[in-house]
């Protein structure tokens, strides 16, 4: 071979070496697929996060709707109860001679009530419960039978005004008989008859508290039974012991 031929042969790359390298066309074809596979986990994570957020929004909306529905139902029940109470009170007030014009709400009261109704079912329910509380207080005042101030007292001092006079009645009679007759048969009979009187005084006080201070709405009367029994028992025991000691020493 001549030198020029040699250079020509040596200058060309062998066919094997050209095929052994990376194919540019194949590299260009595989690159988008690899990028799509790498981007798939990120898209899935974003999808899960969006799904969780949407589920949270849905649950919050369902909870709010449920609370609103319960508030509406409770407000309807409260409205029915308040209307019944107000109708009963209106009848009783008219029987007592209250003018009908005084039982009708004034325009400012209607405006204030309408303003309070714009806060939604929860505000309406709160307003109705407040109205029921005022209706309870009015029932207590109407049912007090001339004792509206005493009806608002706490149960213990209020009931003490009933138990106390009954508990002192029989001991006062016993002391009066002893002072008048001395250690005679009348004093002995009064002493013996006074032994069961605490129970009688307690029963009379129990009935009197229920009649004088009935609870509003037909609830249970707070008669403070322990306090009543103690108030009725202590004076009778002390007076009986004192009279017995005076008779024995006399």
């Amino acid at each position: 071979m001549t030198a020029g031929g040699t250079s020509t042969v040596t200058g060309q790359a062998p066919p094997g070496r050209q095929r052994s390298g990376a194919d540019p066309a194949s590299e260009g074809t595989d690159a988008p697929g690899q990028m799509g596979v790498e981007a798939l986990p990120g898209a899935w994570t974003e999808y899960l996060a969006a799904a969780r957020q949407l589920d949270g929004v849905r649950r919050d909306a369902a909870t709010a709707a449920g609370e609103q529905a319960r508030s509406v139902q409770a407000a309807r029940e409260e409205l029915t109860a308040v209307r019944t109470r107000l109708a009963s009170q209106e009848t009783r007030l008219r029987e007592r001679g209250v003018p009908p014009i005084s039982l009708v709400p004034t325009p400012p009261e209607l405006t204030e009530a309408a303003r309070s109704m714009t806060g939604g079912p929860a505000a309406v329910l709160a307003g109705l419960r407040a109205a029921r509380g005022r209706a309870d207080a009015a029932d207590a005042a109407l049912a007090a039978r001339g004792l509206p101030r005493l009806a608002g007292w706490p149960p213990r001092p209020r009931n003490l005004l009933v138990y106390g006079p009954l508990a002192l009645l029989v001991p006062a009679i016993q002391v009066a008989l002893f002072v008048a007759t001395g250690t005679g048969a009348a004093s002995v009979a009064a002493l013996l008859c006074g032994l069961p009187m605490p129970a009688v005084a307690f029963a009379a006080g129990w009935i009197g508290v229920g009649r004088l201070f009935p609870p509003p709405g037909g609830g249970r009367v707070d008669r403070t039974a322990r306090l009543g029994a103690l108030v009725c028992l202590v004076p009778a025991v002390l007076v009986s012991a004192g009279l017995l000691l005076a008779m024995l020493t006399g």
Side-chain angles (χ1 to χ4, degrees):
M1 290 185 178
T2 60
T6 304
S7 62
T8 304
V9 174
T10 56
Q12 295 178 354
R17 292 183 62 184
Q18 291 180 356
R19 289 191 298 267
S20 63
D23 190 359
S26 63
E27 291 179 359
T29 304
D30 294 341
Q34 292 176 359
M35 291 177 62
V37 172
E38 292 176 355
L40 184 60
W44 179 252
T45 302
E46 294 178 358
Y47 170 77
L48 291 179
R52 293 191 188 98
Q53 185 177 3
L54 181 61
D55 183 66
V57 172
R58 180 186 61 82
R59 291 183 179 181
D60 293 341
T63 302
E67 292 178 355
Q68 186 174 5
R70 288 190 293 269
S71 298
V72 170
Q73 182 64 26
R76 288 177 179 175
E77 296 176 356
E78 198 74 25
L79 178 60
T80 302
V82 171
R83 281 178 174 175
T84 303
R85 300 283 295 281
L86 292 180
S88 175
Q89 289 180 3
E90 182 179 0
T91 302
R92 296 171 64 181
L93 289 173
R94 287 185 176 181
E95 291 176 352
R96 297 191 178 190
V98 178
I101 190 63
S102 301
L103 303 177
V104 179
T106 60
E109 292 174 346
L110 293 175
T111 302
E112 184 64 24
R115 186 180 305 169
S116 64
M117 297 297 106
T118 59
V124 174
L125 180 59
L128 289 173
R129 286 176 176 172
R132 186 182 63 175
R134 290 191 291 269
D136 291 341
D139 279 340
L142 289 173
R145 298 183 181 181
L147 301 174
R149 295 182 179 179
L150 296 181
W153 286 20
R156 289 179 179 273
R158 180 194 66 191
N159 296 343
L160 186 61
L161 296 177
V162 180
Y163 290 116
L166 294 174
L168 296 176
L169 179 60
V170 174
I173 295 175
Q174 290 176 336
V175 172
L177 287 176
F178 179 78
V179 172
T181 62
T183 58
S187 298
V188 176
L191 180 62
L192 296 177
C193 292
L195 294 179
M197 283 296 105
V200 177
F202 174 74
W206 178 280
I207 297 173
V209 169
R211 293 293 182 86
L212 294 175
F213 310 111
R220 185 177 180 181
V221 182
D222 189 0
R223 291 186 169 91
T224 58
R226 294 182 179 178
L227 176 64
L230 186 64
V231 169
C232 293
L233 183 62
V234 170
V237 171
L238 293 179
V239 171
S240 298
L243 291 178
L244 181 60
L245 182 62
M247 289 179 183
L248 293 177
T249 56

